[in-house]
């Protein structure tokens, strides 16, 4: 109906419809749509609890070995520094293509091992497979999410909240697709997460790209409407104003479209930074590491990595995300040890993924609103989320009957909320110039926390209790036999340690709130508005010159015809 209203005027033909379709596909909003689809199937790492038991039983692993695989998954899913560095020198489609290949290869090899179609692999081989498969998520995030942040710099909190919320929700999406396609066959779930994310990323390889565009005044409101499923209310107005939009992409070519449509001008990327009044004196990369610019300016990679703010944020994230991730990865074993049926365990995993979504969305949109409206620092919200996650850990530690349902909701929400807040803080404090790399460095905190709390604490204490129970029954563990523990004591001590670690992360995060309070009280988006205004002025000047030249040429042609 919307398209019909727009083209209902007289004289509209196939050329106008074709031009409109082209403008829609090359626009940045369609790029956001493609990124949403990529994100919505890239959360295979969050449903490890659904297929961890089949890996454990089919390959005869104890809990420490299984948690080592879980750590490898977290390491691959969050260490995306390589994808960030590649993204600095290549277009986004290269990153997405690499991620597609890694995703299919890693999970397909795991599926072959679990189903017995290949010889039983060594533990280190399984770690490599799951690390490669999970690392494809980092490539998808870098290729799609970082690109969207650069295309919407003044709405980065909303962009991060929206896209990362779909990553969290993807666990529930994949779970429902798995039950629809394969029923309760857990091994088939591994095959599903091998081919589905790879297919979606491959379809939208060339859609995701950097698009420089004159900012629209209602840009942030559009993101709110997407989140509330009310975007249709503004589509007609967007179509009426489409002729005012001017897009600039990175490819060196020009596209001439029909009148009254989007004017697309493509040019080579302009260098960022530097003094417009003259060339800067060259400074060695090692000379200014400990002389960073003011907060909000573009840090170099080394300046950011060696800054106190990054160290504080890294420690707080390690403690906060590490604890919630340990709970998520062990959710299947926690449910089994407490005697929950398999259907309930599937419900726990789905609840974590479902509440992961509002956690990311609320953190992104609410923090953006509170920052713009009341100048509330994002690190303060990040600190509150870390503290709130302790409630979920307490419920697991004391094993209150049916408390795992509530714990899944709280942990899923807090785990999801920490990510967009952490990514937004990095972009605001350290700038966007090297955001692809710094974004992925911030993710390294997750596997660090996972290894300490998941492998060294939870896995070790679980196996210790399981061996104690086996010894009490007069049994000894046979080689290749999986190791299982029953009762609330299996994870109690581990989660007491996790609670203490999370409280330490809360205190560390309070330091970051204190250090950045003046920065967040200032207008942190001022320079982006100035750049957008300058770009709009330049576009208007160029348009006037083109119109003036067209008028002159028309007058010359008329004079020549008269002669």
């Amino acid at each position: 109906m919307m398209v019909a209203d727009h083209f209902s005027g007289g004289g509209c033909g196939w050329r106008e419809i074709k031009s409109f379709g082209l403008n829609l596909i090359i626009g940045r909003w369609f790029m956001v749509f493609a990124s949403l689809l990529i994100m919505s199937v890239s959360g295979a790492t969050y449903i490890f609890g659904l297929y961890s038991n089949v890996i454990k039983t089919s390959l005869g692993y104890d809990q420490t070995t299984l948690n080592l695989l879980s750590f490898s998954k977290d390491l691959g899913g969050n260490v995306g520094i390589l994808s960030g560095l590649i993204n600095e020198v290549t277009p986004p489609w290269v990153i997405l293509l690499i991620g597609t290949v890694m995703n299919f290869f890693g999970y397909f090899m795991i599926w072959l091992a679990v189903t017995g179609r290949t010889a039983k692999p060594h533990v280190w081989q399984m770690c490599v497979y799951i690390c490669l498969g999970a690392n494809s998520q980092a490539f998808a995030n870098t290729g799609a999410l970082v690109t969207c942040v650069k295309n919407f710099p003044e709405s980065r909190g909303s962009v991060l909240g929206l896209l990362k919320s779909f990553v969290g929700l993807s666990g529930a999406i994949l779970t429902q697709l798995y039950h629809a396609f394969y029923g309760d066959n857990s091994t088939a779930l591994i095959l599903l997460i091998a081919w589905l994310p790879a297919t979606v990323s491959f379809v939208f390889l060339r859609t995701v790209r950097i698009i420089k565009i004159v900012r629209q005044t209602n840009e942030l409101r559009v993101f709110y409407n997407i989140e509330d499923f009310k975007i249709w209310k503004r589509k007609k107005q967007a179509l009426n104003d489409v002729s005012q939009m001017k897009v600039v992409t990175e490819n060196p070519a020009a596209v001439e479209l029909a009148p009254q449509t989007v004017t697309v001008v493509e040019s080579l990327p302009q260098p960022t930074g530097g003094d417009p009044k003259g060339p800067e004196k060259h400074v060695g990369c090692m000379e200014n590491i400990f002389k960073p610019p003011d907060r909000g300016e573009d840090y170099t990679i080394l300046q950011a990595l060696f800054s106190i703010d990054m160290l504080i944020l890294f420690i707080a994230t390690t403690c906060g995300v590490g604890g919630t991730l340990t709970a998520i990865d062990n959710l299947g074993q926690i449910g089994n040890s407490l005697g929950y049926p398999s259907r309930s365990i599937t419900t726990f995993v789905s609840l974590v993924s479902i509440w992961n979504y509002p956690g990311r969305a609320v953190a992104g949109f609410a923090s953006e609103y509170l920052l713009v409206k009341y100048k509330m620092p994002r690190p303060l919200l990040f600190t509150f989320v870390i503290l709130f996650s302790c409630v979920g850990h307490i419920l697991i530690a004391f094993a209150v009957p049916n408390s795992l349902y509530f714990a899944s909701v709280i942990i899923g929400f807090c785990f999801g909320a920490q990510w967009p807040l952490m990514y937004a803080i990095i972009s605001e404090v350290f700038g966007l110039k090297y955001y692809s790399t710094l974004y992925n460095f911030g993710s390294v905190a997750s596997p660090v926390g996972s290894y300490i709390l998941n492998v060294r604490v939870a896995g070790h204490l679980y196996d210790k209790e399981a061996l104690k129970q086996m010894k009490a029954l007069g049994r000894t563990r046979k080689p290749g036999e999986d190791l299982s523990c029953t009762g609330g004591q299996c994870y109690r001590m581990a989660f007491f340690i996790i609670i203490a670690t999370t409280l330490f992360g809360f205190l560390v995060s309070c330091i970051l709130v204190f250090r950045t309070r003046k920065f967040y009280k200032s207008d942190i988006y001022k320079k982006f508005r100035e750049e957008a205004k300058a770009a709009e002025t330049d576009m208007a000047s160029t348009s006037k010159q083109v119109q003036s030249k067209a008028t002159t040429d028309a007058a010359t042609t008329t004079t020549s015809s008269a002669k």
Side-chain angles (χ1 to χ4, degrees), residues 148-163:
C148 284
V149 170
K150 291 185 176 181
N151 287 339
F152 297 90
E154 291 189 57
S155 305
R156 68 188 73 175
S158 301
V159 171
L160 286 166
L162 181 65
L163 293 180

Side-chain angles (χ1 to χ4, degrees), residues 78-120:
N78 295 282
V79 178
I81 295 179
L82 178 61
S83 63
L85 293 174
I86 295 176
N87 193 57
E88 299 287 355
V89 295
T90 63
W93 70 265
V94 176
I95 302 298
L96 293 176
L97 180 61
I98 295 174
T100 297
V101 175
M102 293 173 62
N103 181 89
F104 182 78
F105 175 78
Y107 286 112
F108 187 70
M109 293 302 296
I110 294 175
W111 178 76
L112 292 177
V114 170
T115 56
R117 287 176 168 82
T118 60
K120 180 180 177 181

